[in-house]
Amino acid sequence: EPEVTQTPSHQVTQMGQEVILRCVPISNHLYFYWYRQILGQKVEFLVSFYNNEISEKSEIFDDQFSVERPDGSNFTLKIRSTKLEDSAMYFCASSLTSGGPYEQYFGPGTRLTVT
Amino acid sequence: AQSVTQLGSHVSVSEGALVLLRCNYSSSVPPYLFWYVQYPNQGLQLLLKYTSAATLVKGINGFEAEFKKSETSFHLTKPSAHMSDAAEYFCAVSSGNTPLVFGKGTRLSVIA
């Protein structure tokens, strides 16, 4: 069964450093998402991406964040200058179409630890 | 704006007992509702979803949920818990083209 994959599974970085989290969505899916979960808190929407551009973003997704689909398979989340509060589990998801009842398929997550 | 409240961050049941995980939602438009499960070191897997068809929704692994508009609830149940059901369960809501809005999750423990 097709699945969303994410690398690395765990990333440790120092405050102020740039990190890139990588995701490979399901191959025929058209919509891509990033969510994050700070320990003990809710899973929160960051950004959605369609047709090579951001379709929606939350208040969390400020200028420190960017997303890119550099080739036909990868979908990346970049944090330019990490802060301690960026420590969280980051989930990538993809769906065949957007919104409504359509299922979003989630990857296993990348645990980001900022020290 | 939409929101989800999951009552109980941790629920513990005996093997073979009824599982009941509570979810209440708030939405100004007709909602789509989802239950996801997360096993250790894995991603979120869809258990079931409500899409305005039948109010009683059956999902995988013997789980089901009932949409009750009057109570703004979408509680998840399973008649008989198995050890393999131990996981984190998330309720989520969306509508139209909005992203998923999740609850804080409920950790289910199953005692032998």
Side-chain angles (χ1 to χ4, degrees), chain B residues 37-101:
Chain B
V37 61
Q38 184 181 30
Y39 299 102
N41 301 315
Q42 295 187 28
L44 300 168
Q45 180 184 5
L46 184 67
L47 272 179
L48 49 80
K49 62 185 179 185
Y50 167 73
T51 62
S52 74
T55 56
L56 183 62
V57 181
K58 295 187 184 297
I60 61 173
N61 301 338
F63 284 93
E64 63 182 37
E66 186 172 9
F67 173 71
K68 291 187 177 180
K69 184 178 179 180
S70 61
E71 298 177 9
T72 61
S73 68
F74 190 57
H75 302 329
L76 183 70
T77 60
K78 182 174 180 177
S80 176
H82 295 164
M83 297 297 291
S84 60
D85 295 327
E88 187 92 17
Y89 291 81
F90 295 91
C91 182
V93 64
S94 77
S95 65
N97 292 320
T98 60
L100 292 172
V101 174

Short mmCIF file of all heavy atoms in Angstrom, two decimals, chain B residues 37-101:
data_model
loop_
_atom_site.label_atom_id
_atom_site.label_comp_id
_atom_site.label_asym_id
_atom_site.label_seq_id
_atom_site.Cartn_x
_atom_site.Cartn_y
_atom_site.Cartn_z
N VAL B 37 -5.80 7.30 14.29
CA VAL B 37 -5.08 6.57 15.32
C VAL B 37 -3.58 6.67 15.03
O VAL B 37 -3.17 6.67 13.86
CB VAL B 37 -5.52 5.10 15.41
CG1 VAL B 37 -5.26 4.35 14.10
CG2 VAL B 37 -4.83 4.39 16.57
N GLN B 38 -2.81 6.77 16.10
CA GLN B 38 -1.35 6.81 15.95
C GLN B 38 -0.74 5.76 16.86
O GLN B 38 -0.82 5.87 18.09
CB GLN B 38 -0.80 8.19 16.28
CG GLN B 38 0.70 8.31 16.04
CD GLN B 38 1.24 9.67 16.41
OE1 GLN B 38 0.73 10.35 17.29
NE2 GLN B 38 2.29 10.09 15.72
N TYR B 39 -0.13 4.77 16.25
CA TYR B 39 0.63 3.78 17.00
C TYR B 39 2.04 4.31 17.22
O TYR B 39 2.51 5.17 16.47
CB TYR B 39 0.64 2.44 16.28
CG TYR B 39 -0.74 1.86 16.09
CD1 TYR B 39 -1.39 1.93 14.84
CD2 TYR B 39 -1.42 1.27 17.14
CE1 TYR B 39 -2.67 1.42 14.68
CE2 TYR B 39 -2.69 0.76 16.98
CZ TYR B 39 -3.30 0.85 15.74
OH TYR B 39 -4.58 0.35 15.58
N PRO B 40 2.75 3.81 18.23
CA PRO B 40 4.09 4.32 18.53
C PRO B 40 5.00 4.33 17.30
O PRO B 40 5.06 3.34 16.56
CB PRO B 40 4.59 3.33 19.60
CG PRO B 40 3.36 2.86 20.27
CD PRO B 40 2.31 2.78 19.18
N ASN B 41 5.64 5.47 17.11
CA ASN B 41 6.62 5.65 16.03
C ASN B 41 6.01 5.50 14.63
O ASN B 41 6.72 5.18 13.69
CB ASN B 41 7.79 4.67 16.19
CG ASN B 41 8.51 4.85 17.50
OD1 ASN B 41 8.80 5.97 17.90
ND2 ASN B 41 8.76 3.76 18.19
N GLN B 42 4.72 5.72 14.52
CA GLN B 42 4.07 5.66 13.22
C GLN B 42 3.30 6.94 12.96
O GLN B 42 3.14 7.78 13.83
CB GLN B 42 3.14 4.45 13.14
CG GLN B 42 3.87 3.11 13.22
CD GLN B 42 2.94 1.94 12.96
OE1 GLN B 42 1.94 2.06 12.26
NE2 GLN B 42 3.29 0.80 13.52
N GLY B 43 2.83 7.11 11.73
CA GLY B 43 2.04 8.27 11.37
C GLY B 43 0.60 8.13 11.80
O GLY B 43 0.21 7.16 12.45
N LEU B 44 -0.20 9.10 11.44
CA LEU B 44 -1.62 9.09 11.75
C LEU B 44 -2.36 8.27 10.69
O LEU B 44 -2.21 8.53 9.50
CB LEU B 44 -2.16 10.52 11.77
CG LEU B 44 -1.51 11.46 12.79
CD1 LEU B 44 -1.91 12.90 12.52
CD2 LEU B 44 -1.93 11.05 14.19
N GLN B 45 -3.16 7.33 11.15
CA GLN B 45 -3.90 6.45 10.24
C GLN B 45 -5.39 6.70 10.42
O GLN B 45 -5.89 6.73 11.56
CB GLN B 45 -3.57 4.99 10.56
CG GLN B 45 -4.30 3.99 9.68
CD GLN B 45 -4.03 2.55 10.10
OE1 GLN B 45 -3.36 2.29 11.09
NE2 GLN B 45 -4.54 1.60 9.33
N LEU B 46 -6.10 6.87 9.31
CA LEU B 46 -7.52 7.13 9.39
C LEU B 46 -8.29 5.89 9.86
O LEU B 46 -8.16 4.82 9.29
CB LEU B 46 -8.06 7.57 8.03
CG LEU B 46 -9.53 7.96 7.99
CD1 LEU B 46 -9.76 9.25 8.79
CD2 LEU B 46 -10.02 8.13 6.56
N LEU B 47 -9.09 6.07 10.92
CA LEU B 47 -9.96 4.99 11.42
C LEU B 47 -11.31 5.02 10.73
O LEU B 47 -11.83 3.99 10.33
CB LEU B 47 -10.20 5.17 12.92
CG LEU B 47 -9.22 4.56 13.91
CD1 LEU B 47 -9.68 4.90 15.33
CD2 LEU B 47 -9.12 3.05 13.73
N LEU B 48 -11.88 6.23 10.68
CA LEU B 48 -13.20 6.38 10.07
C LEU B 48 -13.47 7.86 9.85
O LEU B 48 -12.77 8.72 10.39
CB LEU B 48 -14.30 5.77 10.95
CG LEU B 48 -14.32 6.11 12.43
CD1 LEU B 48 -14.96 7.46 12.69
CD2 LEU B 48 -15.09 5.03 13.21
N LYS B 49 -14.51 8.14 9.05
CA LYS B 49 -14.86 9.53 8.78
C LYS B 49 -16.36 9.67 8.59
O LYS B 49 -17.03 8.74 8.10
CB LYS B 49 -14.12 10.05 7.55
CG LYS B 49 -14.44 9.31 6.26
CD LYS B 49 -13.57 9.82 5.11
CE LYS B 49 -13.86 9.05 3.81
NZ LYS B 49 -12.94 9.46 2.72
N TYR B 50 -16.88 10.81 8.97
CA TYR B 50 -18.29 11.17 8.77
C TYR B 50 -18.36 12.20 7.66
O TYR B 50 -17.68 13.24 7.71
CB TYR B 50 -18.88 11.74 10.05
CG TYR B 50 -20.21 12.41 9.81
CD1 TYR B 50 -21.35 11.66 9.57
CD2 TYR B 50 -20.32 13.81 9.79
CE1 TYR B 50 -22.57 12.27 9.32
CE2 TYR B 50 -21.52 14.42 9.54
CZ TYR B 50 -22.64 13.65 9.30
OH TYR B 50 -23.84 14.26 9.05
N THR B 51 -19.21 11.90 6.65
CA THR B 51 -19.26 12.78 5.50
C THR B 51 -20.69 13.18 5.15
O THR B 51 -21.00 13.44 4.00
CB THR B 51 -18.63 12.09 4.28
OG1 THR B 51 -19.40 10.91 3.99
CG2 THR B 51 -17.20 11.70 4.53
N SER B 52 -21.56 13.23 6.14
CA SER B 52 -22.96 13.66 6.03
C SER B 52 -23.85 12.61 5.38
O SER B 52 -24.98 12.93 5.01
CB SER B 52 -23.09 14.98 5.27
OG SER B 52 -22.87 14.80 3.89
N ALA B 53 -23.39 11.39 5.27
CA ALA B 53 -24.26 10.30 4.82
C ALA B 53 -24.87 9.67 6.09
O ALA B 53 -25.63 10.30 6.78
CB ALA B 53 -23.48 9.30 3.99
N ALA B 54 -24.53 8.46 6.40
CA ALA B 54 -25.07 7.80 7.59
C ALA B 54 -24.46 8.42 8.84
O ALA B 54 -23.28 8.77 8.87
CB ALA B 54 -24.74 6.32 7.54
N THR B 55 -25.28 8.56 9.89
CA THR B 55 -24.78 9.15 11.13
C THR B 55 -23.96 8.15 11.93
O THR B 55 -23.12 8.55 12.74
CB THR B 55 -25.93 9.67 12.00
OG1 THR B 55 -26.84 8.59 12.24
CG2 THR B 55 -26.66 10.80 11.30
N LEU B 56 -24.19 6.86 11.74
CA LEU B 56 -23.36 5.84 12.38
C LEU B 56 -22.34 5.36 11.37
O LEU B 56 -22.69 4.82 10.32
CB LEU B 56 -24.23 4.67 12.86
CG LEU B 56 -23.49 3.56 13.61
CD1 LEU B 56 -22.85 4.11 14.88
CD2 LEU B 56 -24.43 2.41 13.93
N VAL B 57 -21.09 5.57 11.71
CA VAL B 57 -20.01 5.29 10.77
C VAL B 57 -19.18 4.12 11.29
O VAL B 57 -18.77 4.12 12.46
CB VAL B 57 -19.10 6.52 10.60
CG1 VAL B 57 -17.99 6.22 9.61
CG2 VAL B 57 -19.90 7.73 10.15
N LYS B 58 -18.94 3.17 10.45
CA LYS B 58 -18.10 2.03 10.83
C LYS B 58 -16.72 2.20 10.21
O LYS B 58 -16.59 2.62 9.06
CB LYS B 58 -18.73 0.73 10.39
CG LYS B 58 -20.05 0.43 11.10
CD LYS B 58 -20.58 -0.95 10.77
CE LYS B 58 -21.94 -1.19 11.40
NZ LYS B 58 -21.88 -1.15 12.88
N GLY B 59 -15.71 1.87 11.00
CA GLY B 59 -14.35 2.02 10.51
C GLY B 59 -13.58 0.72 10.58
O GLY B 59 -14.15 -0.35 10.69
N ILE B 60 -12.26 0.87 10.57
CA ILE B 60 -11.41 -0.31 10.61
C ILE B 60 -11.25 -0.80 12.05
O ILE B 60 -11.53 -0.07 13.00
CB ILE B 60 -10.03 -0.02 10.00
CG1 ILE B 60 -9.29 1.08 10.77
CG2 ILE B 60 -10.17 0.36 8.53
CD1 ILE B 60 -7.86 1.29 10.33
N ASN B 61 -10.82 -2.06 12.15
CA ASN B 61 -10.49 -2.65 13.45
C ASN B 61 -11.67 -2.69 14.42
O ASN B 61 -11.47 -2.72 15.64
CB ASN B 61 -9.32 -1.92 14.12
CG ASN B 61 -8.07 -1.94 13.26
OD1 ASN B 61 -7.91 -2.80 12.38
ND2 ASN B 61 -7.18 -1.00 13.47
N GLY B 62 -12.90 -2.70 13.91
CA GLY B 62 -14.08 -2.84 14.76
C GLY B 62 -14.55 -1.56 15.42
O GLY B 62 -15.47 -1.58 16.25
N PHE B 63 -13.96 -0.43 15.10
CA PHE B 63 -14.37 0.85 15.67
C PHE B 63 -15.57 1.42 14.92
O PHE B 63 -15.73 1.19 13.72
CB PHE B 63 -13.22 1.85 15.64
CG PHE B 63 -12.17 1.61 16.69
CD1 PHE B 63 -11.05 0.83 16.40
CD2 PHE B 63 -12.32 2.14 17.96
CE1 PHE B 63 -10.08 0.60 17.37
CE2 PHE B 63 -11.36 1.92 18.93
CZ PHE B 63 -10.25 1.15 18.65
N GLU B 64 -16.37 2.18 15.62
CA GLU B 64 -17.44 2.93 15.01
C GLU B 64 -17.66 4.23 15.77
O GLU B 64 -17.19 4.39 16.90
CB GLU B 64 -18.73 2.12 14.92
CG GLU B 64 -19.33 1.72 16.23
CD GLU B 64 -20.60 0.88 16.03
OE1 GLU B 64 -20.66 0.06 15.08
OE2 GLU B 64 -21.53 1.05 16.83
N ALA B 65 -18.32 5.17 15.11
CA ALA B 65 -18.60 6.46 15.75
C ALA B 65 -19.96 6.94 15.28
O ALA B 65 -20.38 6.66 14.15
CB ALA B 65 -17.53 7.48 15.40
N GLU B 66 -20.64 7.66 16.15
CA GLU B 66 -21.97 8.17 15.81
C GLU B 66 -21.96 9.69 15.84
O GLU B 66 -21.56 10.31 16.83
CB GLU B 66 -23.02 7.65 16.78
CG GLU B 66 -24.43 8.05 16.38
CD GLU B 66 -25.49 7.38 17.22
OE1 GLU B 66 -25.16 6.72 18.23
OE2 GLU B 66 -26.68 7.53 16.87
N PHE B 67 -22.39 10.28 14.74
CA PHE B 67 -22.52 11.74 14.65
C PHE B 67 -23.85 12.15 15.27
O PHE B 67 -24.91 11.69 14.85
CB PHE B 67 -22.46 12.18 13.19
CG PHE B 67 -22.75 13.64 12.97
CD1 PHE B 67 -21.85 14.60 13.37
CD2 PHE B 67 -23.94 14.05 12.36
CE1 PHE B 67 -22.11 15.95 13.17
CE2 PHE B 67 -24.20 15.38 12.15
CZ PHE B 67 -23.30 16.33 12.56
N LYS B 68 -23.77 13.01 16.29
CA LYS B 68 -24.99 13.53 16.93
C LYS B 68 -24.94 15.04 16.85
O LYS B 68 -24.25 15.71 17.63
CB LYS B 68 -25.07 13.06 18.38
CG LYS B 68 -25.34 11.57 18.51
CD LYS B 68 -25.58 11.19 19.97
CE LYS B 68 -25.92 9.70 20.09
NZ LYS B 68 -26.17 9.30 21.49
N LYS B 69 -25.72 15.58 15.90
CA LYS B 69 -25.69 17.03 15.68
C LYS B 69 -26.18 17.79 16.90
O LYS B 69 -25.62 18.83 17.27
CB LYS B 69 -26.54 17.37 14.46
CG LYS B 69 -26.53 18.84 14.07
CD LYS B 69 -27.36 19.08 12.83
CE LYS B 69 -27.35 20.55 12.46
NZ LYS B 69 -28.17 20.81 11.25
N SER B 70 -27.23 17.26 17.54
CA SER B 70 -27.82 17.97 18.69
C SER B 70 -26.85 18.07 19.85
O SER B 70 -26.93 19.01 20.65
CB SER B 70 -29.09 17.26 19.14
OG SER B 70 -28.79 15.93 19.56
N GLU B 71 -25.92 17.12 19.94
CA GLU B 71 -24.93 17.13 21.02
C GLU B 71 -23.56 17.59 20.53
O GLU B 71 -22.62 17.63 21.32
CB GLU B 71 -24.82 15.71 21.61
CG GLU B 71 -26.12 15.22 22.22
CD GLU B 71 -26.00 13.79 22.74
OE1 GLU B 71 -24.88 13.25 22.78
OE2 GLU B 71 -27.05 13.22 23.11
N THR B 72 -23.46 17.93 19.28
CA THR B 72 -22.18 18.27 18.63
C THR B 72 -21.09 17.28 19.04
O THR B 72 -19.99 17.67 19.46
CB THR B 72 -21.74 19.72 18.90
OG1 THR B 72 -21.56 19.90 20.31
CG2 THR B 72 -22.75 20.72 18.38
N SER B 73 -21.42 16.00 18.90
CA SER B 73 -20.48 14.98 19.34
C SER B 73 -20.21 13.96 18.24
O SER B 73 -21.00 13.79 17.31
CB SER B 73 -21.01 14.25 20.58
OG SER B 73 -22.14 13.47 20.24
N PHE B 74 -19.08 13.31 18.37
CA PHE B 74 -18.67 12.26 17.44
C PHE B 74 -17.81 11.29 18.22
O PHE B 74 -16.62 11.15 18.00
CB PHE B 74 -17.92 12.87 16.25
CG PHE B 74 -17.66 11.93 15.10
CD1 PHE B 74 -18.70 11.27 14.46
CD2 PHE B 74 -16.37 11.72 14.63
CE1 PHE B 74 -18.48 10.42 13.40
CE2 PHE B 74 -16.12 10.87 13.55
CZ PHE B 74 -17.17 10.22 12.94
N HIS B 75 -18.42 10.59 19.16
CA HIS B 75 -17.68 9.70 20.06
C HIS B 75 -17.30 8.40 19.36
O HIS B 75 -18.08 7.85 18.58
CB HIS B 75 -18.51 9.38 21.30
CG HIS B 75 -18.91 10.59 22.09
ND1 HIS B 75 -18.15 11.74 22.16
CD2 HIS B 75 -20.01 10.82 22.87
CE1 HIS B 75 -18.75 12.63 22.92
NE2 HIS B 75 -19.88 12.10 23.37
N LEU B 76 -16.14 7.90 19.69
CA LEU B 76 -15.61 6.67 19.10
C LEU B 76 -15.84 5.52 20.06
O LEU B 76 -15.54 5.65 21.26
CB LEU B 76 -14.11 6.84 18.84
CG LEU B 76 -13.39 5.68 18.17
CD1 LEU B 76 -13.81 5.54 16.72
CD2 LEU B 76 -11.87 5.87 18.27
N THR B 77 -16.34 4.40 19.55
CA THR B 77 -16.58 3.25 20.41
C THR B 77 -16.08 1.97 19.75
O THR B 77 -15.93 1.89 18.54
CB THR B 77 -18.08 3.07 20.72
OG1 THR B 77 -18.79 2.89 19.49
CG2 THR B 77 -18.64 4.27 21.47
N LYS B 78 -15.83 0.99 20.62
CA LYS B 78 -15.52 -0.37 20.18
C LYS B 78 -16.04 -1.30 21.26
O LYS B 78 -15.77 -1.07 22.45
CB LYS B 78 -14.02 -0.56 19.97
CG LYS B 78 -13.66 -1.97 19.47
CD LYS B 78 -12.19 -2.08 19.13
CE LYS B 78 -11.89 -3.49 18.62
NZ LYS B 78 -10.46 -3.64 18.21
N PRO B 79 -16.82 -2.32 20.92
CA PRO B 79 -17.47 -3.14 21.93
C PRO B 79 -16.49 -3.88 22.85
O PRO B 79 -16.74 -4.04 24.03
CB PRO B 79 -18.29 -4.14 21.11
CG PRO B 79 -18.45 -3.51 19.77
CD PRO B 79 -17.22 -2.69 19.55
N SER B 80 -15.36 -4.32 22.29
CA SER B 80 -14.46 -5.17 23.06
C SER B 80 -13.01 -4.80 22.74
O SER B 80 -12.55 -4.99 21.61
CB SER B 80 -14.71 -6.64 22.72
OG SER B 80 -13.81 -7.48 23.38
N ALA B 81 -12.32 -4.26 23.74
CA ALA B 81 -10.95 -3.79 23.53
C ALA B 81 -9.96 -4.95 23.39
O ALA B 81 -10.07 -5.94 24.12
CB ALA B 81 -10.52 -2.89 24.68
N HIS B 82 -9.01 -4.77 22.50
CA HIS B 82 -7.89 -5.70 22.35
C HIS B 82 -6.62 -5.00 22.77
O HIS B 82 -6.52 -3.77 22.72
CB HIS B 82 -7.76 -6.16 20.89
CG HIS B 82 -8.92 -6.97 20.41
ND1 HIS B 82 -9.16 -7.20 19.08
CD2 HIS B 82 -9.93 -7.58 21.08
CE1 HIS B 82 -10.25 -7.92 18.96
NE2 HIS B 82 -10.73 -8.17 20.16
N MET B 83 -5.63 -5.77 23.15
CA MET B 83 -4.34 -5.19 23.53
C MET B 83 -3.77 -4.34 22.39
O MET B 83 -3.14 -3.31 22.64
CB MET B 83 -3.35 -6.29 23.91
CG MET B 83 -3.76 -7.12 25.11
SD MET B 83 -3.86 -6.15 26.62
CE MET B 83 -2.14 -5.79 26.89
N SER B 84 -4.02 -4.77 21.17
CA SER B 84 -3.48 -4.06 20.01
C SER B 84 -4.12 -2.70 19.78
O SER B 84 -3.67 -1.94 18.92
CB SER B 84 -3.64 -4.92 18.76
OG SER B 84 -5.01 -5.20 18.53
N ASP B 85 -5.19 -2.39 20.50
CA ASP B 85 -5.84 -1.09 20.35
C ASP B 85 -5.12 0.02 21.11
O ASP B 85 -5.46 1.20 20.96
CB ASP B 85 -7.30 -1.16 20.84
CG ASP B 85 -8.16 -2.07 19.99
OD1 ASP B 85 -7.91 -2.16 18.76
OD2 ASP B 85 -9.07 -2.72 20.55
N ALA B 86 -4.17 -0.34 21.94
CA ALA B 86 -3.42 0.67 22.70
C ALA B 86 -2.69 1.60 21.74
O ALA B 86 -1.86 1.16 20.95
CB ALA B 86 -2.45 -0.01 23.64
N ALA B 87 -3.03 2.88 21.80
CA ALA B 87 -2.50 3.88 20.86
C ALA B 87 -3.01 5.25 21.27
O ALA B 87 -3.75 5.40 22.24
CB ALA B 87 -2.95 3.56 19.44
N GLU B 88 -2.63 6.26 20.48
CA GLU B 88 -3.15 7.61 20.65
C GLU B 88 -4.23 7.83 19.60
O GLU B 88 -4.04 7.48 18.43
CB GLU B 88 -2.02 8.63 20.45
CG GLU B 88 -2.39 10.06 20.77
CD GLU B 88 -2.09 10.45 22.20
OE1 GLU B 88 -1.31 9.74 22.85
OE2 GLU B 88 -2.62 11.48 22.66
N TYR B 89 -5.36 8.39 20.00
CA TYR B 89 -6.49 8.59 19.10
C TYR B 89 -6.79 10.09 18.99
O TYR B 89 -6.88 10.79 20.00
CB TYR B 89 -7.72 7.84 19.60
CG TYR B 89 -7.55 6.34 19.50
CD1 TYR B 89 -6.84 5.63 20.47
CD2 TYR B 89 -8.08 5.62 18.43
CE1 TYR B 89 -6.65 4.27 20.37
CE2 TYR B 89 -7.90 4.25 18.32
CZ TYR B 89 -7.20 3.59 19.30
OH TYR B 89 -7.01 2.22 19.20
N PHE B 90 -6.94 10.55 17.75
CA PHE B 90 -7.18 11.96 17.49
C PHE B 90 -8.50 12.13 16.73
O PHE B 90 -8.73 11.49 15.71
CB PHE B 90 -6.06 12.56 16.64
CG PHE B 90 -4.72 12.59 17.30
CD1 PHE B 90 -3.84 11.53 17.15
CD2 PHE B 90 -4.35 13.66 18.09
CE1 PHE B 90 -2.59 11.55 17.76
CE2 PHE B 90 -3.10 13.69 18.70
CZ PHE B 90 -2.23 12.63 18.55
N CYS B 91 -9.30 13.05 17.21
CA CYS B 91 -10.51 13.46 16.52
C CYS B 91 -10.18 14.74 15.75
O CYS B 91 -9.41 15.58 16.24
CB CYS B 91 -11.62 13.71 17.54
SG CYS B 91 -13.21 14.18 16.84
N ALA B 92 -10.75 14.89 14.54
CA ALA B 92 -10.45 16.07 13.73
C ALA B 92 -11.70 16.49 12.98
O ALA B 92 -12.57 15.67 12.66
CB ALA B 92 -9.31 15.79 12.77
N VAL B 93 -11.77 17.78 12.64
CA VAL B 93 -12.90 18.34 11.91
C VAL B 93 -12.41 19.18 10.75
O VAL B 93 -11.33 19.76 10.81
CB VAL B 93 -13.79 19.19 12.85
CG1 VAL B 93 -13.03 20.40 13.39
CG2 VAL B 93 -15.07 19.64 12.17
N SER B 94 -13.15 19.17 9.68
CA SER B 94 -12.89 20.10 8.58
C SER B 94 -14.22 20.37 7.88
O SER B 94 -15.22 19.73 8.18
CB SER B 94 -11.87 19.54 7.59
OG SER B 94 -12.45 18.57 6.75
N SER B 95 -14.21 21.31 6.96
CA SER B 95 -15.41 21.57 6.15
C SER B 95 -14.97 22.19 4.84
O SER B 95 -14.08 23.04 4.83
CB SER B 95 -16.38 22.49 6.87
OG SER B 95 -15.81 23.75 7.05
N GLY B 96 -15.59 21.78 3.75
CA GLY B 96 -15.21 22.32 2.45
C GLY B 96 -13.74 22.15 2.20
O GLY B 96 -13.23 21.05 2.20
N ASN B 97 -13.06 23.25 2.01
CA ASN B 97 -11.64 23.21 1.70
C ASN B 97 -10.75 23.61 2.87
O ASN B 97 -9.61 23.99 2.67
CB ASN B 97 -11.34 24.11 0.51
CG ASN B 97 -11.96 23.56 -0.76
OD1 ASN B 97 -11.93 22.36 -0.99
ND2 ASN B 97 -12.53 24.44 -1.56
N THR B 98 -11.25 23.51 4.08
CA THR B 98 -10.43 23.90 5.23
C THR B 98 -9.52 22.76 5.66
O THR B 98 -9.86 21.59 5.50
CB THR B 98 -11.31 24.30 6.42
OG1 THR B 98 -12.13 23.19 6.79
CG2 THR B 98 -12.17 25.49 6.06
N PRO B 99 -8.36 23.08 6.23
CA PRO B 99 -7.48 22.03 6.74
C PRO B 99 -8.09 21.33 7.94
O PRO B 99 -9.04 21.82 8.54
CB PRO B 99 -6.22 22.80 7.16
CG PRO B 99 -6.33 24.14 6.55
CD PRO B 99 -7.78 24.41 6.38
N LEU B 100 -7.53 20.21 8.29
CA LEU B 100 -7.98 19.48 9.46
C LEU B 100 -7.66 20.27 10.73
O LEU B 100 -6.57 20.81 10.87
CB LEU B 100 -7.29 18.12 9.53
CG LEU B 100 -7.68 17.10 8.46
CD1 LEU B 100 -6.77 15.88 8.55
CD2 LEU B 100 -9.13 16.68 8.61
N VAL B 101 -8.63 20.30 11.64
CA VAL B 101 -8.42 20.87 12.97
C VAL B 101 -8.52 19.71 13.95
O VAL B 101 -9.57 19.03 14.00
CB VAL B 101 -9.46 21.95 13.29
CG1 VAL B 101 -9.29 22.42 14.73
CG2 VAL B 101 -9.33 23.12 12.32
#
